[in-house]
């Protein structure tokens, strides 16, 4: 699906540069904002339902073809936790709005990495007023200025950062199950890496006893689960049997670190 808002300015800039600068673009970065919202504009939706990866991949491809050397930045994404906001992360079953916000932000970062975007950040660190239904007033990782109480999303995004520090996106691995999505990250300086695994749904899907095939020949695997209150998550060793590990996959991403990634 082509996303006109991503391309209108870039195409006009390209035309102007072709006519006036011999094609040399007068900027270093293509910077965009996008928020995953339903077609009616009444609620936030998951990054997968929004096709965030596909939309951004179109922009990255356009950059690659017409503006090589320019970085692509996504400097605003996010979800509110107030139930009245049109950009809300809705409560889903037993998942609270704060839980869904945390899940969807981490999943958004995964889709952004897979699309090839160079840099990304969410909006914003703190709430303006969690009691307000005004769009973006409750989109923070922590509560309002002066309080700074971490929300669930603070711990989830922090755990993602800690689990993947020093790694680069390697690619998607076919899961063999439509309810399981799996991305691979490789250490930039060593042999290790990590799998990020989740259900790309929005109905509390759970895939029990999923057998994840590990690439290469790792001798150790550690599962890291995101939890409220811990910026490192909860770690547990996994048994490798026949080159596979068995895990329960939910809509909350998990990180499986291995000492060898192919």
């Amino acid at each position: 699906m082509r996303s006109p808002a991503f391309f209108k300015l870039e195409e006009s800039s390209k035309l102007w540069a072709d006519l006036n600068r011999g094609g040399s673009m007068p900027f270093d970065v293509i910077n965009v904002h996008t928020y995953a919202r339903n077609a009616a504009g009444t609620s936030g939706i998951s990054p997968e339902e929004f096709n965030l990866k596909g939309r951004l991949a179109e922009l990255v491809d356009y950059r690659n073809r017409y503006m090589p050397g320019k970085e692509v930045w996504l400097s605003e994404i996010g979800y509110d936790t107030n139930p009245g906001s049109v950009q809300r992360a809705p409560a889903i079953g037993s998942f609270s709005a704060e839980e869904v916000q945390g899940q969807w932000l981490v999943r958004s970062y995964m889709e952004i990495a897979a699309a090839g975007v160079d840099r990304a950040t969410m909006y914003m660190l703190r709430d303006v007023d969690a009691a307000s239904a005004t769009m973006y007033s409750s989109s923070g990782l922590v509560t309002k200025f002066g309080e700074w109480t971490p929300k669930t999303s603070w711990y989830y995004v922090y755990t993602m950062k800690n689990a993947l520090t020093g790694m680069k996106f390697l690619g998607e691995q076919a899961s063999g199950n439509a309810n399981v999505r799996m991305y691979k990250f490789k250490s930039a300086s060593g042999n290790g890496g990590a799998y990020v695994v989740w259900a790309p749904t929005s109905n509390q899907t759970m895939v029990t006893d999923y057998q994840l095939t590990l690439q290469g020949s790792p001798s150790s695997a550690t599962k890291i689960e995101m939890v409220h209150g811990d910026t490192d998550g909860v770690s547990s060793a996994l048994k490798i049997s026949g080159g596979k590990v068995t895990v329960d996959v939910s809509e909350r991403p998990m990180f499986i670190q291995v000492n060898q990634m192919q």
Side-chain angles (χ1 to χ4, degrees):
M1 178 189 300
R2 186 170 172 81
S3 308
F6 282 164
F7 292 91
K8 185 176 180 180
L9 179 59
E10 302 312 326
E11 289 176 341
S12 61
S13 298
K14 174 90 169 50
L15 177 60
W16 180 88
D18 287 345
L19 293 174
N20 295 278
R21 292 172 57 92
S24 174
M25 302 302 296
F27 52 78
D28 298 314
V29 171
I30 303 168
N31 183 38
V32 298
H33 299 168
T34 191
Y35 289 86
R37 194 178 308 154
N38 63 15
T42 57
S43 176
I45 57 177
S46 75
E48 299 88 1
E49 183 179 353
F50 185 66
N51 189 27
L52 181 62
K53 179 175 69 173
R55 291 168 184 258
L56 292 172
E58 285 190 53
L59 179 59
V60 170
D61 178 66
Y62 183 87
R63 181 275 312 273
N64 292 344
R65 287 185 288 122
Y66 299 113
M67 304 177 189
K70 308 299 182 185
E71 291 197 348
V72 174
W73 293 7
L74 177 58
S75 58
E76 282 193 28
I77 56 168
Y79 297 98
D80 288 327
T81 51
N82 185 287
S85 170
V86 297
Q87 189 52 38
R88 67 184 176 276
I92 297 174
S94 62
F95 290 154
S96 68
E98 287 200 7
E99 167 70 22
V100 175
Q101 182 204 31
Q103 292 181 8
W104 286 3
L105 281 175
V106 172
R107 285 158 55 173
S108 293
Y109 279 119
M110 294 301 100
E111 301 296 69
I112 292 163
V117 170
D118 295 288
R119 297 176 185 268
T121 185
M122 56 80 62
Y123 183 86
M124 61 179 179
L125 173 62
R126 63 171 177 84
D127 286 346
V128 175
D129 180 5
S132 173
T134 301
M135 188 163 52
Y136 312 135
S137 289
S138 59
S139 63
L141 297 175
V142 301
T143 58
K144 66 183 181 179
F145 180 85
E147 293 181 353
W148 307 110
T149 303
K151 296 161 73 172
T152 298
S153 56
W154 167 267
Y155 295 106
Y156 285 12
V157 172
Y158 212 142
T159 297
M160 175 193 71
K161 181 194 78 71
N162 286 339
L164 299 179
T165 291
M167 299 186 193
K168 295 184 177 181
F169 179 77
L170 183 62
E172 181 171 4
Q173 178 169 310
S175 70
N177 187 320
N179 286 329
V180 177
R181 185 162 296 188
M182 187 185 333
Y183 289 162
K184 299 185 293 184
F185 289 77
K186 178 76 166 58
S187 171
S189 58
N191 295 322
Y195 299 82
V196 187
V197 188
W198 73 98
T201 51
S202 301
N203 55 10
Q204 284 200 312
T205 289
M206 173 71 75
V207 180
T208 58
D209 296 328
Y210 175 75
Q211 290 195 316
L212 189 162
T213 300
L214 303 176
Q215 301 298 306
S217 303
S219 59
S220 67
T222 301
K223 177 176 66 175
I224 300 175
E225 297 178 282
M226 301 185 297
V227 297
H228 183 92
D230 194 327
T231 58
D232 290 312
V234 174
S235 298
S236 57
L238 294 174
K239 180 182 178 181
I240 301 175
S241 178
K244 299 180 179 182
V245 294
T246 302
V247 293
D248 293 337
V249 180
S250 74
E251 292 171 354
R252 182 190 302 142
M254 74 177 76
F255 308 91
I256 300 174
Q257 295 180 337
V258 291
N259 65 339
Q260 198 271 337
M261 168 72 77
Q262 181 173 304

